[in-house]
Amino acid sequence: MKMMNIFKAALIGCAVIGTTPTGAFADKLRVMTGAPSGTLNVPMNRAVVVESDEPFAEISVANAEIADISTLSDRSIYVLGRAPGRTTMTLLAPDGSLITNVQIQVTPDITEFKERLKQIMPGEGIEVRTANDGIVLSGVISSVTRMERAVELAERYAPGRVSNLMNIGGTQQVMLKVRFAEMARSVSKNLSSSVGFLNDINVIDPATGAIDAATNWSGGSSGTLIGAANGVTGALTAKDDALGAIKFGGSLGGVELAVVLEAMEQKGVVRTLAEPNLTALSGQQAKFLAGGEYPIPVQTPNGIVIDYKPFGVELEFIPRVVNGDQINLELKAAVSGIDSTVSYAIDGFSLNSFKRREASTTVEMRDGQSFAIAGLLQDDFQDLNGQVPWLGDIPVLGALFRSMDYQRAQSELVIIVTPHLVSPTSGAALILPTDRVRVPTEAEMFLFGKTFGGTTKPQSGGAGEVAKQDFQGSYGYVME
C-alpha cells in the first residue's frame, strides 16, 4: 500500500512538470473540507496546484478565459492563469455535495519585471504591486528621469495599464535668477558751413543757387542766414542761439558777405539692467511680470475695443529636476518698454511702438551653474557727405560748401540664467526692503531735512545675517 502511494505521487509530479510552461514553477494550495478557502493567486501564464483532502467527482470554473483547469488525480487540480481577472472554481464530492469554492485571482506576472527593475535601477525604493490587470508603482525615487524609465519598463509588461504613484525624493523647488544686461553707446558728429552774398536787392545762396529778392541785410539787420545747414537765424555778426553754430560776415563795397559755421558732436550711453527672480515647483509653470499694460485700440465688427499689451520685465519658465541637482529649464524671458521715438496715428489715436528684447529656449544645467542663453552685438555706422557741385571740390575753400554727418551706434546685450534648488526657511529669517527704513520723526524731518528715519535692521539671528546683505541676496528661501 505504501509503495502504491509513492508511485501515485511520482506520477502526479511528472504530470505537473510536463504540463507547466518552461521556466515556471507550480505552487500549491491545500483545500480542507468544511473550511473556508482563501484566494488563490495565480500569475498569468503560470500554474498553481490545488490539493483537496478528500476525493472530488466534479470540478468547474466560472470563466475559462481567465483560468484553465485540468485534473491530475481525484485530489489534485492543475490551475493555469490565462488572463488577468477574478473567477471561481467549484469542487463537488461524489455524492454531489459541495466541497468548497475557490476564488482564483489571475494577475500579471511581475516577477521578471521586479528582477529587471533591480538590475536597471539598483538602490531605488520602488514597490511593485498588481491591481486587477495592471501594475502599480509606488515608493520614493531619486529623480524624474529614473521615474520615467521605471514607468517605461512597466509599460512593456502591462501596456496602458500602469499606475504611477511614485514620489520624487530631494528638493524639488527651483529658484531661477535671470539677468538682463544691455549697454548702448552712440556717437554723432556733423560739420557744415554756408556762405551767402547779398546786395541791396538780391541774396544768393551758393549751396542751393536760390535768389531771395525780399531779403535785405543792409545795416547788419537780422534776417534769414544764407546757406545755414539747419535754418539758423539771427544777426550776421553774432553767435547764433543754436548750439555749435556761429555766424559772422562783413561788407565789401556794396556787397555783404555772410558765413555760417556749424559743428556738433553728441555722445550718449544707455545702461539697462533687470534681474527677475522666480521660484516654482519642479514640473510646474511660473510667470512673472513687473511693468504694466499699454492700451491699443482694435477695430472689430462692433466698433473699436481696447486691447492691452503687457510690457516690462517678463519671465515664464518650467523647471524640471531630472537627476539629483541637474535641472532642465524651459523658459521665456523678455524685457520691453515703450519707444516714444516711433509713433503711429490712426482714427484719432496716437500709438507708440515697443522696444523688446526676448529669448525663448530650453537648457539644462546643475544647481548654481550659469548659462548665457542669449547675446547680441550690434554696430551701426552711417556717413553722409553733402556739397555744392564743383565748389565743394575746391581745396581748402571747398570746405565752406560741404557738410559732413557721421553717426555710429553700438549695443551689447546678454541674458544669463542661474537656477538654484531651494527650500523654505523660517519666518524669523525673512526681511523685506521696506523693513529697513521707518517714517521720520518731526525733528528729523524739519530740523535735519531727512525723508526717512534710521534703519531698523535686526542685529542678530538669521534675519540679522540676511540684513547684512543690504538689498541683495535670496529672500525667503534657503539655498541647497
Side-chain angles (χ1 to χ4, degrees):
M1 185 67 181
K2 182 180 294 185
M3 291 297 297
M4 183 61 67
N5 292 336
I6 295 175
F7 180 72
K8 288 182 179 180
L11 290 178
I12 294 174
C14 293
V16 170
I17 295 175
T19 311
T20 305
T22 305
F25 61 89
D27 297 327
K28 289 185 179 181
L29 174 68
R30 192 162 187 85
V31 177
M32 306 296 293
T33 304
S37 177
T39 302
L40 177 64
N41 294 315
V42 183
M44 190 171 60
N45 296 324
R46 302 185 71 175
V48 174
V49 175
V50 177
E51 293 184 347
S52 176
D53 64 339
E54 67 175 272
F56 55 84
E58 186 177 349
I59 182 173
S60 63
V61 64
N63 190 342
E65 295 181 357
I66 295 179
D68 188 14
I69 59 175
S70 61
T71 58
L72 301 177
S73 67
D74 58 353
R75 295 176 182 266
S76 300
I77 309 165
Y78 184 77
V79 181
L80 175 65
R82 290 189 173 274
R86 193 179 185 92
T87 187
T88 303
M89 180 178 65
T90 303
L91 278 71
L92 299 178
D95 59 356
S97 61
L98 176 65
I99 297 177
T100 187
N101 284 326
V102 179
Q103 300 295 327
I104 301 176
Q105 177 72 49
V106 180
T107 59
D109 187 6
I110 58 175
T111 303
E112 182 183 359
F113 171 60
K114 288 182 178 180
E115 295 174 355
R116 297 294 179 265
L117 201 59
K118 290 182 179 180
Q119 293 173 359
I120 297 174
M121 287 177 286
E124 295 290 349
I126 303 177
E127 299 179 2
V128 182
R129 297 181 178 86
T130 59
N132 196 8
D133 59 345
I135 296 177
V136 178
L137 301 179
S138 60
V140 180
I141 197 167
S142 60
S143 66
V144 176
T145 303
R146 287 179 170 266
M147 181 179 67
E148 293 175 350
R149 292 176 181 174
V151 174
E152 182 180 358
L153 182 61
E155 289 285 346
R156 298 281 185 177
Y157 293 86
R161 303 188 305 274
V162 178
S163 298
N164 182 14
L165 302 181
M166 293 182 290
N167 295 321
I168 302 175
T171 302
Q172 296 298 310
Q173 293 184 118
V174 180
M175 183 188 74
L176 181 63
K177 179 179 181 181
V178 182
R179 286 175 286 175
F180 293 87
E182 182 179 13
M183 286 293 297
R185 299 173 292 272
S186 63
V187 177
S188 176
K189 299 180 181 180
N190 62 73
L191 175 64
S192 62
S193 61
S194 299
V195 179
F197 301 92
L198 67 154
N199 51 28
D200 292 339
I201 300 176
N202 296 328
V203 176
I204 303 173
D205 184 357
T208 62
I211 298 176
D212 188 355
T215 306
N216 190 346
W217 283 359
S218 59
S221 61
S222 298
T224 302
L225 292 177
I226 304 307
N230 293 324
V232 181
T233 61
L236 288 175
T237 58
K239 184 176 180 180
D240 190 81
D241 294 335
L243 183 63
I246 300 178
K247 304 175 300 184
F248 59 90
S251 61
L252 181 60
V255 179
E256 294 188 18
L257 175 67
V259 178
V260 178
L261 296 179
E262 183 180 5
M264 179 66 68
E265 180 178 3
Q266 294 179 336
K267 296 180 180 180
V269 176
V270 178
R271 175 179 180 266
T272 302
L273 179 64
E275 294 189 12
N277 294 346
L278 189 60
T279 303
L281 189 65
S282 177
Q284 300 298 317
Q285 185 183 47
K287 295 182 179 181
F288 174 86
L289 172 62
E293 292 185 335
Y294 186 77
I296 299 176
V298 178
Q299 184 68 45
T300 64
N302 298 326
I304 296 178
V305 297
I306 301 299
D307 191 12
Y308 291 90
K309 179 179 177 63
F311 67 91
V313 180
E314 302 175 61
L315 177 61
E316 178 180 335
F317 80 109
I318 302 176
R320 295 181 178 90
V321 182
V322 294
N323 189 10
D325 62 347
Q326 192 171 0
I327 305 170
N328 178 283
L329 290 176
E330 180 181 346
L331 65 95
K332 179 180 180 181
V335 172
S336 59
I338 299 175
D339 187 0
S340 59
T341 61
V342 181
S343 60
Y344 178 71
I346 179 174
D347 295 337
F349 295 95
S350 180
L351 306 177
N352 296 107
S353 64
F354 281 79
K355 185 178 181 181
R356 184 177 180 88
R357 283 81 73 201
E358 179 180 340
S360 178
T361 184
T362 301
V363 293
E364 191 169 281
M365 66 195 82
R366 295 191 180 277
D367 176 25
Q369 292 182 335
S370 297
F371 219 128
I373 62 170
L376 174 65
L377 292 174
Q378 187 172 354
D379 191 349
D380 297 331
F381 173 79
Q382 182 177 355
D383 191 359
L384 180 62
N385 182 10
Q387 68 177 30
V388 177
W390 302 298
L391 296 179
D393 296 329
I394 300 175
V396 183
L397 294 178
L400 298 176
F401 301 93
R402 290 197 301 265
S403 65
M404 299 292 296
D405 190 6
Y406 166 86
Q407 294 181 357
R408 186 174 186 180
Q410 296 175 312
S411 64
E412 182 178 357
L413 170 68
V414 64
I415 303 177
I416 301 176
V417 297
T418 305
H420 294 281
L421 292 174
V422 296
S423 58
T425 186
S426 172
L430 302 182
I431 185 170
L432 302 176
T434 54
D435 296 336
R436 303 172 185 274
V437 297
R438 61 176 174 82
V439 178
T441 64
E442 293 183 356
E444 290 174 334
M445 178 180 293
F446 294 110
L447 295 181
F448 302 102
K450 293 184 177 181
T451 57
F452 61 90
T455 60
T456 57
K457 298 180 181 179
Q459 302 299 323
S460 61
E465 294 298 324
V466 177
K468 294 178 182 179
Q469 302 177 18
D470 196 21
F471 285 95
Q472 298 180 359
S474 304
Y475 297 93
Y477 297 94
V478 175
M479 298 292 184
E480 291 295 320

